[in-house]
Amino acid sequence: MSDGLQGQRTYALVGHGGSGKTMVGEMLLFAAGATNRLGNTEEGNTTLDYEPEEVKRGGSIQPGFARFDWKKNPHFLIDCPGDSNFSGDLPFLLTAADGAVLVIDAVDGVKPLTRKIWSQVADAGLPALCCLTKMDRDRADFEAAFASLQEQLGIRPVLLYVPIGQREDFKGVVDVFADKALFFDGKGGFTEGAVPGDMAEEVAGLRETMVENIAESDEELMETYLEEGELSPDQVRKGLSKGVAAGELVPVVPASALQNAGGQQLLDAAQDLLPSPLDHPAWVGEDGSERASSPDEPVAAFVCKTIVDPFAGKLSVLRVLSGTLSPDSTLLNPDSGAKERVGSLILLKGKEQNGLKQPMGPGAVVAVAKLKETHTGETLCDEKKPFTLDRPALPPQLITYALAPAEKGDEDKVYQAMQKIVEEDVTLRLFRDEESSDILLSGMGQLHIETSVEKARRRYKVDVVLKTPKVPYRETFKGEADVQGRHKKQSGGRGQFGDCFVKIEPLGHGEGYEFVDQIVGGAIPRQYIPAVDKGIQEAARRGYLSGNPVVDFKVSLYDGSYHSVDSSEMAFKVAGSLAFKKACEQAGMKLLEPYMLVVVSVPDQYMGDVIGDLSGRRGKVLGSDSTGGVTEIKAHVPMNEILRYAPDLRSMTGGQGLFTMEFSHYEEAPPHITEKVMEEAKAEAG
């Protein structure tokens, strides 16, 4: 099997949203003969984007997988979404690959999101190629896009092919290494010819630059180059392969996916320069153990994605890490401790599924159906030689919405439908809010949430209404209070009597709740003291100003009285609640609002607009730092002002801004916010 694996390639197409990744994937499939037509995202007929939501928006919302052959070698392709709403699981997808093809738009070049994606490729340690696509577009600027690779990504690009013309004049490329021209025929093929005379000098200079870059990536080659002034073709090939494998060099291929131009050249580059699964470094387990990427090792497979198919049910997409994965085998899931029965192996090509009867070795990306207790990010392995891959971390969710059924009483139906959506999208989080009982869905952006809900509506016929979630305000005491809580009721028969004296004082932020029993001499019997505590805590959860919990205060119970017949736990619980309400009136209350730490990355030209916008949201800018034309701004912003920030930032920066946020702290809300929250609470109660 090792001989066959040497020519196998498993790679991910990555790039910012709209860069043209899916079209490049369609070009590769067509060039390899895996499809009989060239799909087009604008026409909604691509192999890799097949979900109705993808067709509607003309872009990927989930990864596409395809297996095909190129020059009798198996290629496994992963088309990764580039929109920040749908690229949160990119670290898992990169784990499934041995290399990456970075797709850059020749019109726009490198964008801020490109930098983030490229850093993830680097973190994954993947060798990479670059495809500069959209060479035929009106505003294509090859030189500017090529320059941005080094200037903004800090990589050392090696130009394998020089474009012959651009925009409407893009008609071919010059193979820098072979010194010959390839003229595209518009059908995916090309004819060879001499290098155009007006390009000969340029190509000679680029070839010299390519050789210098290759020599600089290897000390031994550098010595040879300095001594002899040149490198042999064999030395150039080996040096280029070595530099790519080490991540020192990134070969570049210009193309036009829409015109079906450059697919064969990109496939050749992937075949010649990206590594085989046998070249992958040893996989590292959670316990620090290592597992070689070899068919001779015990079997282990990583679940990089879960797909819920309306007909086949749940499909788990696996990357074989080591050993040989066989149909009809039983594997262990170390995370759940469950033994999973693996039935048929399935090769994916978009939504097309083809069953396999033969085993698959390292590097293969296959799907298996109906695993019961295995989820995305987990490992399946030989139960006698267990191994759990040390999975990469995923980014936190950025936005949360409350979900409600269109018809009251369908809450469980909504929750169950969204659970199925969450099962296939590891970047979503579904939970119930204990305070409001709302069903909350957190995701990577507003579009992410809306698309997920749209998918649930279509698949499971549930009518879901999206609401902005309640901001978790808190209340606390302004000062101290010394009060009596007395509950006395006589209505025939046994009465109710509870009497307590408490002192309430505020505590520092985050110190929580403290109850101190200072009763002496049996003023209140021991069995009733916990009831006072419980009554105060229950009243605190309901709040005083706005229905939000009261936090950070200390209660000292120091006196009281009881009745031998009429006193009970319930009576003292009510007495505690009454004491709490009196304390709120006496000490005065203030509303606390949550602040988020927001980190925004934008091109330098948008810095002023973004800082002004954050200040307008009552934000406090903590500082900014500019590197490589991108400014990173840190600020504390009230949660209420930032709930719908994603679409606003996208609009403000033309889609080039990125941000992350996490809870930071609570601060006292200004009077107008307190008044507004109190009015909303009254209206809701009414």
Side-chain angles (χ1 to χ4, degrees):
M1 178 177 279
S2 295
D3 292 341
L5 291 175
Q6 197 64 56
Q8 180 176 302
R9 300 291 179 263
T10 304
Y11 47 93
L13 294 177
V14 299
H16 64 256
S19 61
K21 295 178 305 305
T22 298
M23 283 299 298
V24 169
E26 294 294 314
M27 177 178 67
L28 297 183
L29 291 176
F30 187 68
T35 56
N36 56 17
R37 61 170 173 77
L38 183 67
N40 190 324
T41 52
E42 293 180 3
E43 296 174 8
N45 60 3
T46 63
T47 298
L48 296 167
D49 283 353
Y50 55 87
E51 285 283 325
E53 291 77 21
E54 293 178 309
V55 174
K56 178 181 176 181
R57 67 183 299 271
S60 304
I61 67 170
Q62 66 180 31
F65 301 90
R67 155 59 165 88
F68 58 90
D69 288 330
W70 178 246
K71 295 183 176 178
K72 298 183 179 180
N73 294 300
H75 282 220
F76 292 91
L77 174 71
I78 307 171
D79 176 26
C80 305
D83 189 310
S84 58
N85 283 277
F86 308 107
S87 60
D89 60 350
L90 182 60
F92 281 5
L93 300 174
L94 294 178
T95 299
D98 294 317
V101 175
L102 176 66
V103 178
I104 298 293
D105 181 342
V107 175
D108 294 326
V110 172
K111 287 187 171 183
L113 186 56
T114 315
R115 283 187 280 270
K116 180 181 178 183
I117 289 170
W118 179 249
S119 70
Q120 290 178 293
V121 172
D123 289 344
L126 294 182
L129 307 175
C130 175
C131 176
L132 261 172
T133 189
K134 300 188 182 180
M135 283 296 302
D136 61 313
R137 296 298 173 91
D138 286 343
R139 295 184 297 107
D141 188 336
F142 175 78
E143 291 185 1
F146 182 76
S148 69
L149 295 174
Q150 188 164 11
E151 293 169 0
Q152 299 191 46
L153 297 184
I155 64 178
R156 186 182 295 170
V158 176
L159 190 57
L160 299 183
Y161 299 91
V162 185
I164 301 174
Q166 59 182 338
R167 307 186 185 103
E168 69 273 10
D169 295 325
F170 179 58
K171 55 188 176 183
V173 293
V174 173
D175 185 332
V176 177
F177 188 79
D179 197 30
K180 61 183 178 183
L182 309 175
F183 295 97
F184 299 127
D185 61 11
K187 301 176 182 177
F190 58 88
T191 56
E192 295 185 9
V195 176
D198 60 347
M199 293 183 65
E201 187 175 337
E202 177 191 1
V203 172
L206 287 169
R207 176 177 169 76
E208 186 176 337
T209 301
M210 178 177 77
V211 173
E212 286 178 358
N213 283 334
I214 292 170
E216 288 174 6
S217 69
D218 184 277
E219 288 186 13
E220 189 176 328
L221 285 179
M222 192 64 192
E223 288 180 14
T224 303
Y225 184 69
L226 291 174
E227 289 174 6
E228 302 178 11
E230 61 180 1
L231 297 176
S232 69
D234 188 50
Q235 286 174 321
V236 171
R237 287 193 190 92
K238 288 183 178 178
L240 180 57
S241 296
K242 190 175 179 181
V244 172
E248 296 285 332
L249 303 174
V250 179
V252 179
V253 178
S256 166
L258 190 63
Q259 300 297 326
N260 194 21
Q264 293 189 41
Q265 287 69 40
L266 187 57
L267 284 169
D268 282 340
Q271 187 64 55
D272 296 340
L273 298 171
L274 291 182
S276 79
L278 299 176
D279 299 319
H280 196 288
W283 301 97
V284 179
E286 285 185 346
D287 58 0
S289 62
E290 293 189 348
R291 178 70 60 88
S293 180
S294 165
D296 301 324
E297 290 285 329
V299 66
F302 174 70
V303 183
C304 66
K305 181 66 181 176
T306 300
I307 300 171
V308 178
D309 185 274
F311 305 104
K314 176 183 169 183
L315 291 177
S316 299
V317 183
L318 311 177
R319 150 74 193 231
V320 182
L321 305 176
S322 64
T324 303
L325 180 63
S326 302
D328 301 320
S329 58
T330 300
L331 298 177
L332 172 71
N333 180 338
D335 286 292
S336 65
K339 293 181 181 179
E340 294 278 22
R341 174 75 174 171
V342 175
S344 298
L345 303 184
I346 301 168
L347 286 180
L348 299 174
K349 188 167 69 180
K351 65 179 177 181
E352 183 182 318
Q353 302 172 12
N354 296 300
L356 268 178
K357 293 186 177 179
Q358 70 265 33
M360 300 297 284
V365 178
V366 297
V368 297
K370 299 176 181 177
L371 297 180
K372 295 180 180 178
E373 297 182 55
T374 298
H375 306 95
T376 306
E378 296 179 344
T379 309
L380 293 174
C381 60
D382 185 329
E383 58 183 303
K384 294 180 181 177
K385 297 279 184 71
F387 178 79
T388 303
L389 184 69
D390 185 17
R391 75 191 81 175
L394 297 181
Q397 290 82 15
L398 298 176
I399 193 169
T400 300
Y401 276 84
L403 308 181
E407 294 186 19
K408 206 166 184 180
D410 284 349
E411 285 81 5
D412 288 343
K413 189 177 179 182
V414 167
Y415 194 85
Q416 290 166 10
M418 291 311 305
Q419 268 188 320
K420 293 175 183 176
I421 299 297
V422 169
E423 188 172 10
E424 69 173 331
D425 189 343
V426 73
T427 60
L428 288 171
R429 179 173 171 244
L430 182 71
F431 58 104
R432 290 185 186 271
D433 187 292
E434 292 183 3
E435 290 181 28
S436 64
S437 298
D438 283 341
I439 300 171
L440 299 181
L441 183 67
S442 297
M444 307 308 295
Q446 182 179 351
L447 183 59
H448 187 206
I449 299 290
E450 291 174 348
T451 304
S452 301
V453 168
E454 187 178 331
K455 191 185 293 186
R457 288 192 189 111
R458 173 177 59 83
R459 285 188 184 173
Y460 307 112
K461 313 303 180 191
V462 293
D463 200 355
V464 184
V465 177
L466 274 178
K467 302 187 300 180
T468 303
K470 292 180 179 177
V471 175
Y473 292 104
R474 295 290 182 263
E475 301 175 20
T476 195
F477 289 92
K478 287 183 178 179
E480 297 182 0
D482 195 330
V483 295
Q484 177 186 16
R486 182 180 175 88
H487 176 59
K488 182 178 181 181
K489 189 174 182 182
Q490 195 72 42
S491 56
R494 182 175 175 178
Q496 297 179 36
F497 182 83
D499 183 26
C500 63
F501 289 83
V502 298
K503 181 180 180 181
I504 292 182
E505 53 193 305
L507 294 177
H509 171 65
E511 292 187 32
Y513 169 76
E514 183 181 348
F515 180 83
V516 180
D517 174 13
Q518 296 179 343
I519 295 295
V520 293
I524 298 177
R526 309 307 306 170
Q527 68 267 29
Y528 298 146
I529 291 175
V532 176
D533 182 14
K534 190 173 183 180
I536 291 172
Q537 289 198 55
E538 287 187 1
R541 280 196 291 272
R542 293 191 294 270
Y544 178 74
L545 294 174
S546 60
N548 290 285
V550 179
V551 297
D552 301 331
F553 65 100
K554 176 182 177 181
V555 176
S556 300
L557 174 62
Y558 64 88
D559 200 0
S561 61
Y562 70 100
H563 190 280
S564 58
V565 176
D566 292 345
S567 288
S568 64
E569 288 188 14
M570 179 56 70
F572 274 96
K573 182 178 172 183
V574 174
S577 175
L578 293 172
F580 177 82
K581 290 176 182 176
K582 283 186 179 180
C584 291
E585 294 170 2
Q586 188 180 111
M589 305 297 290
K590 58 185 177 182
L591 186 72
L592 303 175
E593 62 177 336
Y595 271 69
M596 310 299 285
L597 172 62
V598 182
V599 181
V600 188
S601 297
V602 294
D604 289 346
Q605 66 262 35
Y606 297 112
M607 179 186 71
D609 292 340
V610 171
I611 288 178
D613 178 72
L614 291 172
S615 298
R617 296 172 187 266
R618 298 189 289 120
K620 302 170 185 175
V621 176
L622 305 176
S624 62
D625 184 33
S626 181
T627 306
V630 175
T631 298
E632 183 180 88
I633 304 160
K634 292 184 179 180
H636 283 146
V637 188
M639 180 188 284
N640 184 47
E641 305 284 352
I642 207 82
L643 284 173
R644 295 175 59 85
Y645 188 56
D648 293 343
L649 179 65
R650 188 180 299 116
S651 174
M652 202 184 322
T653 63
Q656 298 187 65
L658 303 171
F659 80 101
T660 61
M661 68 176 176
E662 60 186 42
F663 172 74
S664 175
H665 63 282
Y666 276 93
E667 284 188 23
E668 183 176 355
H672 73 281
I673 296 295
T674 300
E675 189 175 327
K676 180 182 176 183
V677 173
M678 288 174 65
E679 287 176 358
E680 289 173 352
K682 285 179 184 177
E684 189 174 332

